[in-house]
Amino acid sequence: MNNLSEQNYIQQISIDTVLFGYEEKQLKVLVPKLDFKGDFWALPSGFVYQGEDIEQAAERILRDRTGISNIYLEQFRVFGKASRNSMEFLDRLIELNPEKLGEKRHKQQEYDWFTQRFISIGYYALVDISKVVPQKNTLDESIEWYALHELPVMIMDHRQIVEAALQALRSDLDEKQNAFNLLPETFTMKEVQELYETIFDKPFVRTNFQKMILDLDVLERLEKKFTGAANKAPYLYKFKK
Amino acid sequence: MNNLSEQNYIQQISIDTVLFGYEEKQLKVLVPKLDFKGDFWALPSGFVYQGEDIEQAAERILRDRTGISNIYLEQFRVFGKASRNSMEFLDRLIELNPEKLGEKRHKQQEYDWFTQRFISIGYYALVDISKVVPQKNTLDESIEWYALHELPVMIMDHRQIVEAALQALRSDLDEKQNAFNLLPETFTMKEVQELYETIFDKPFVRTNFQKMILDLDVLERLEKKFTGAANKAPYLYKFKK
DNA sequence: AGTATATTGTATATTTTTTATACAATAATT
DNA sequence: AATTATTGTATAAAAAATATACAATATACT
């Protein structure tokens, strides 16, 4: 651990991010695994510098893990139960990693900082998964995309945070057209439909879906995409804006 | 000021509440005025105790100002700009109230606590305005309901917080039926319509509005209400649940 | 080259929902 | 008993959502 307790962070506030990507007809979430014994997976998280907007902090946390800026971000909820702290998780972490973390008392200051009760601001983010090269940070053993239905067991309430983020994403889709942020630069209508079917976990009727999306008037039609398949080639579209 | 800096509050986190009521066909907001020279109006605000859920904190803040519990509450957004602090406001407050607040340096600790950069969690709440007897707290000169269109100039970004709360209220109305929390125990359909027209600032067609509301299937029809007017008496309804 | 096949784009029919209009019921007043 | 202003409900018209039909087409297969 770095000397987090000495850095210029706001105390007791954390940012937890749920980064969604879309690949192989599945919604995926970027989840780092901690470089400690014991299989600990946690959402990309961080803290807010004194001179930093909370949105900047969320951007920074994601930029550090993805290498890309200008990620589509939405603040969706604050998790503020008094019982919300990492004491249980940290005790187990230390118990399983005595050689690395040493005796509690030798790291008391650091330990105390971490076991404070934290109020966490939840952000979800959407990316074109092909643009991201996941970046381990110093605490990570790995960082990988996990399909939503195959998420590993996560620490604390991180699983519930993912669930709340998914609900927010679905709900936002009614007014915002943010789903297109999950797709590559260009895509076919079929790909859009598969994405929507994945997000809402229900089928759409092809012809009406096509009309509905085109009526949104947010797509620009490009050239055709010839795949070599023995059928009519679909048009490519891009999200205008 | 009490010794806020010595109390067991989480630092740099505040709760700002926008309490909506409905009276005389107007949406109103409960706004205390500070008991200092200089006309300072601020939203009912407060801090979070170490052992307290953020929602409990919001409830407590509103209970203290209204005397009632079980207020309908919704967390709607976090305001977290780095530039968000009360320094400007406090400087002016002290400047205008030297006899009461004394020299800055004599209250340095208190002053420092207040001028920290705060991240504020916004809650809006809905009440039956007739149930509330506004309670001044020790810092208030007055506390009054102000029509949304006649709000006094408020400190810091509190006016924008009200605006964001109103937007959230409107947006939530699509899925939740929380508007009924603004009405008294029983009400006529006309009163419901007037409330909706006030919230959305647009007219509804009476017959279709009535059907729409009844189709929600959240109202229970009671006896008629005889007002003495020379026309058919309307039914009273109550919000079931 | 001509036919077959799977998919795509669009048009149209059908159903449902929303909005507009009509009208009977009724609580006082005259 | 007729009059008036509202209320409750029914129905007509318009719009939106959903279902169905079909022509266009990129390639494979004969």
Side-chain angles (χ1 to χ4, degrees):
Chain A
M1 299 188 202
N2 295 328
N3 319 356
L4 278 167
S5 52
E6 289 164 21
Q7 288 198 254
N8 202 21
Y9 285 129
I10 295 180
Q11 294 221 346
Q12 302 191 65
I13 290 197
S14 59
I15 305 257
D16 284 314
T17 63
V18 180
L19 182 62
F20 288 109
Y22 175 68
E23 193 180 43
E24 293 164 348
K25 303 184 187 179
Q26 289 187 305
L27 267 187
K28 297 189 172 180
V29 179
L30 189 70
V31 185
K33 184 184 184 190
L34 299 186
D35 188 21
F36 289 95
K37 286 183 189 145
D39 295 336
F40 296 103
W41 286 270
L43 287 173
S45 303
F47 308 105
V48 183
Y49 288 115
Q50 286 295 347
E52 188 181 42
D53 296 348
I54 53 174
E55 185 156 331
Q56 286 175 347
E59 281 169 17
R60 171 175 53 76
I61 290 162
L62 287 173
R63 192 172 53 243
D64 288 352
R65 305 290 194 139
T66 62
I68 52 176
S69 303
N70 290 105
I71 292 179
Y72 181 91
L73 261 184
E74 291 281 345
Q75 180 198 298
F76 69 96
R77 201 205 289 176
V78 180
F79 298 85
K81 286 270 176 205
S83 57
R84 209 188 166 282
N85 69 61
S86 57
M87 195 137 7
E88 206 178 311
F89 150 59
L90 272 187
D91 283 346
R92 191 159 160 68
L93 185 76
I94 291 169
E95 180 190 326
L96 294 174
N97 296 270
E99 74 294 343
K100 208 163 184 174
L101 294 171
E103 294 290 314
K104 260 194 207 181
R105 65 189 120 81
H106 294 141
K107 297 271 191 179
Q108 197 59 47
Q109 194 187 12
E110 199 71 7
Y111 181 80
D112 287 347
W113 199 86
F114 261 108
T115 56
Q116 287 175 297
R117 169 256 180 114
F118 272 94
I119 291 175
S120 180
I121 306 170
Y123 280 86
Y124 76 80
L126 308 175
V127 292
D128 171 359
I129 203 168
S130 69
K131 289 247 179 71
V132 174
V133 182
Q135 312 280 320
K136 284 194 287 188
N137 79 8
T138 51
L139 291 174
D140 298 340
E141 172 188 314
S142 68
I143 179 166
E144 276 176 50
W145 291 101
Y146 290 88
L148 206 45
H149 299 294
E150 295 166 2
L151 284 182
V153 174
M154 299 173 84
I155 67 165
M156 299 174 63
D157 56 355
H158 286 199
R159 179 63 212 235
Q160 285 120 278
I161 294 177
V162 172
E163 215 45 57
L166 177 61
Q167 274 191 274
L169 167 61
R170 282 178 177 158
S171 161
D172 286 353
L173 260 179
D174 287 338
E175 12 181 317
K176 311 178 210 271
Q177 279 92 38
N178 53 15
F180 295 105
N181 292 291
L182 289 163
L183 292 173
E185 201 67 27
T186 66
F187 44 81
T188 64
M189 190 55 69
K190 185 176 200 170
E191 288 164 344
V192 179
Q193 182 173 345
E194 285 168 349
L195 171 60
Y196 270 72
E197 291 182 334
T198 300
I199 293 176
F200 288 105
D201 195 27
K202 70 171 186 186
F204 291 88
V205 174
R206 182 185 62 87
T207 54
N208 297 328
F209 181 84
Q210 178 143 347
K211 183 174 187 310
M212 183 267 281
I213 293 291
L214 291 178
D215 284 354
L216 289 178
D217 198 32
V218 298
L219 296 189
E220 186 182 333
R221 191 161 94 172
L222 309 171
E223 74 281 9
K224 286 189 172 188
K225 181 190 185 187
F226 298 94
T227 61
N231 52 45
K232 188 172 179 178
Y235 286 100
L236 285 171
Y237 296 88
K238 66 180 259 197
F239 184 44
K240 60 184 183 192
K241 134 81 193 47
Chain B
M1 299 187 201
N2 295 329
N3 320 358
L4 278 166
S5 51
E6 288 164 22
Q7 288 199 255
N8 203 20
Y9 285 129
I10 295 180
Q11 295 222 344
Q12 301 190 63
I13 291 195
S14 59
I15 305 256
D16 284 314
T17 63
V18 181
L19 182 64
F20 288 109
Y22 175 68
E23 193 180 43
E24 294 164 346
K25 303 185 187 177
Q26 288 188 306
L27 266 187
K28 297 189 173 180
V29 179
L30 189 69
V31 185
K33 185 184 183 190
L34 300 186
D35 188 21
F36 289 94
K37 286 184 191 146
D39 295 334
F40 296 104
W41 286 270
L43 287 172
S45 302
F47 308 105
V48 183
Y49 287 116
Q50 285 296 346
E52 188 181 42
D53 296 349
I54 53 174
E55 187 156 329
Q56 285 176 347
E59 281 169 18
R60 171 175 52 77
I61 290 162
L62 287 173
R63 193 172 52 244
D64 287 352
R65 305 290 194 139
T66 62
I68 53 175
S69 302
N70 290 105
I71 292 178
Y72 181 90
L73 261 185
E74 291 282 345
Q75 180 197 297
F76 68 95
R77 200 205 289 175
V78 181
F79 299 85
K81 287 270 176 203
S83 57
R84 210 190 165 281
N85 69 59
S86 57
M87 193 133 17
E88 206 178 310
F89 150 60
L90 272 187
D91 282 346
R92 193 158 157 67
L93 185 74
I94 292 169
E95 183 190 323
L96 293 174
N97 296 271
E99 73 294 343
K100 209 163 184 174
L101 295 170
E103 293 290 313
K104 260 194 210 181
R105 64 187 121 82
H106 293 140
K107 296 271 191 179
Q108 196 59 47
Q109 195 188 12
E110 199 70 8
Y111 182 80
D112 286 349
W113 198 85
F114 261 107
T115 55
Q116 287 176 299
R117 169 254 179 114
F118 272 92
I119 291 175
S120 180
I121 306 170
Y123 280 86
Y124 75 81
L126 308 176
V127 292
D128 171 359
I129 202 168
S130 69
K131 290 246 180 68
V132 174
V133 182
Q135 311 281 319
K136 283 194 288 186
N137 78 8
T138 51
L139 291 174
D140 298 339
E141 172 188 313
S142 67
I143 179 166
E144 276 175 50
W145 291 101
Y146 291 88
L148 207 46
H149 298 295
E150 294 167 2
L151 284 181
V153 174
M154 299 172 83
I155 66 166
M156 298 174 63
D157 57 355
H158 287 199
R159 179 62 212 236
Q160 285 120 277
I161 294 178
V162 172
E163 216 45 58
L166 178 61
Q167 274 191 273
L169 168 61
R170 283 179 176 155
S171 162
D172 287 352
L173 260 179
D174 288 338
E175 12 181 318
K176 311 177 209 271
Q177 278 93 37
N178 53 14
F180 296 104
N181 293 292
L182 289 164
L183 292 173
E185 201 67 28
T186 65
F187 43 81
T188 64
M189 191 55 70
K190 185 174 198 172
E191 288 164 345
V192 179
Q193 181 172 346
E194 285 168 349
L195 171 59
Y196 270 72
E197 292 183 333
T198 300
I199 293 176
F200 288 105
D201 196 25
K202 70 171 186 187
F204 291 88
V205 174
R206 182 185 61 89
T207 54
N208 297 328
F209 181 84
Q210 177 142 348
K211 183 174 188 312
M212 184 265 280
I213 292 292
L214 291 178
D215 284 353
L216 289 177
D217 197 33
V218 297
L219 295 190
E220 186 182 334
R221 191 161 94 173
L222 308 171
E223 72 281 9
K224 288 188 172 187
K225 180 190 185 187
F226 298 95
T227 60
N231 52 45
K232 189 173 181 177
Y235 285 101
L236 285 172
Y237 296 88
K238 66 179 257 194
F239 184 43
K240 60 184 181 190
K241 139 78 193 43

